[in-house]
C-alpha cells in the first residue's frame, strides 16, 4: 500500500547557489518544522565518502541527475510526514529542471511522477546574499549562480508553483536568518 503523505502545506525553499537556503532550513528545523534536506548535497557527500558510484555534478551533470532522481524519491518517501503537518523541502525535483533546462519538456524518466506526487504549494525564493562564496559543493561563479537563480524561479513558475521572494535583511547573519525564517513562517 502506498504511504499517505502530508496534507499540510508543502513548501520548498529554493533559489540559486549561495542565497542562504540551507541556513534558513536549519533555522526552521530548529523551530520544529519537518524539513527534508537537500538531496543533491547529500548525494555529493555520499560520492565524496565513496558510498555512491555517481560522478559529481560538475563532472557529468546528466549522469549525476540520473542518480539524483531515485535518491530524491527515496528521501521524499522516507522523510515526508504522514500526520498532515506542514513540510519544508530544501530544494525540490523542479530544481533539476532548472539546472539542466529540462523544463522544455525533455525531463528524465520518473521526473513528472515525482514532481506531481510531491508538488509544492509554494516556493520561497530568498534574494541573493550580497557576498557570494563558493565551497566544496557550490562551485559556480557568481555570474552562473545569478543565471541559475533566474532559471529556478522561471522553472517553478512554469510548473504552476506560487513563488514568494524572501527579502534579504541587512543585519548580522544570525539575525538575518531568523528574520527570513519568520517571513516564511508567516506565509506558510
Amino acid at each position: 500500500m502506498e504511504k499517505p503523505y502530508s496534507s499540510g502545506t508543502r513548501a520548498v525553499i529554493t533559489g540559486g547557489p549561495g542565497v542562504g537556503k540551507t541556513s534558513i532550513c536549519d533555522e526552521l528545523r530548529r523551530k520544529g518544522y519537518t524539513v527534508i534536506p537537500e538531496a543533491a548535497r547529500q548525494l555529493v557527500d555520499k560520492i565524496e565518502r565513496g558510498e555512491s558510484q555517481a560522478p559529481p555534478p560538475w563532472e557529468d551533470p546528466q549522469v549525476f541527475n540520473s542518480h539524483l532522481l531515485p535518491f530524491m524519491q527515496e528521501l521524499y518517501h522516507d522523510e515526508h510526514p504522514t500526520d498532515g503537518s506542514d513540510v519544508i523541502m530544501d530544494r525540490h525535483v523542479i530544481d533539476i529542471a532548472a539546472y539542466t533546462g529540462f523544463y522544455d519538456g525533455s525531463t528524465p524518466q520518473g521526473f513528472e511522477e515525482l514532481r506531481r506526487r510531491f508538488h509544492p504549494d509554494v516556493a520561497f525564493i530568498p534574494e541573493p546574499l550580497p557576498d557570494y562564496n563558493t565551497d566544496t559543493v557550490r562551485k559556480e561563479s557568481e555570474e552562473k549562480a545569478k543565471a541559475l537563480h533566474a532559471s529556478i524561479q522561471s522553472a517553478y513558475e512554469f510548473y504552476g508553483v506560487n513563488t514568494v521572494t524572501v527579502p534579504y535583511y541587512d543585519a548580522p547573519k544570525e539575525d538575518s536568518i531568523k528574520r527570513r525564517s519568520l517571513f516564511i513562517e508567516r506565509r506558510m
Side-chain angles (χ1 to χ4, degrees), residues 82-114:
T82 59
D83 63 359
S85 62
D86 296 340
V87 63
I88 298 167
M89 296 169 270
D90 185 346
R91 293 199 179 272
H92 185 270
V93 69
I94 292 173
D95 287 56
I96 293 175
Y99 266 78
T100 59
F102 280 146
Y103 64 99
D104 64 359
S106 58
T107 54
Q109 185 176 0
F111 173 87
E112 279 301 317
E113 179 186 345
L114 191 59

Side-chain angles (χ1 to χ4, degrees), residues 102-182:
F102 280 146
Y103 64 99
D104 64 359
S106 58
T107 54
Q109 185 176 0
F111 173 87
E112 279 301 317
E113 179 186 345
L114 191 59
R115 182 190 65 79
R116 279 194 294 270
R117 177 182 265 174
F118 296 100
H119 192 77
D121 299 307
V122 60
F124 292 102
I125 304 176
E127 289 181 336
L129 300 173
D131 55 338
Y132 177 77
N133 297 303
T134 59
D135 65 20
T136 58
V137 176
R138 185 186 316 123
K139 297 182 180 285
E140 298 88 352
S141 67
E142 186 172 4
E143 185 176 287
K144 176 75 171 176
K146 287 179 182 178
L148 284 168
H149 190 78
S151 179
I152 287 166
Q153 178 143 6
S154 294
Y156 278 86
E157 291 168 354
F158 176 84
Y159 285 112
V161 179
N162 178 36
T163 61
V164 176
T165 299
V166 179
Y168 166 73
Y169 295 98
D170 189 12
K173 183 178 179 179
E174 291 304 314
D175 290 343
S176 181
I177 292 167
K178 287 179 181 179
R179 290 177 72 182
R180 291 173 122 192
S181 299
L182 185 59

Side-chain angles (χ1 to χ4, degrees), residues 2 16 43 50 53 98 111 159 188:
E2 189 62 40
L43 183 54
Q53 298 302 312
F111 173 87
Y159 285 112
M188 287 279 291

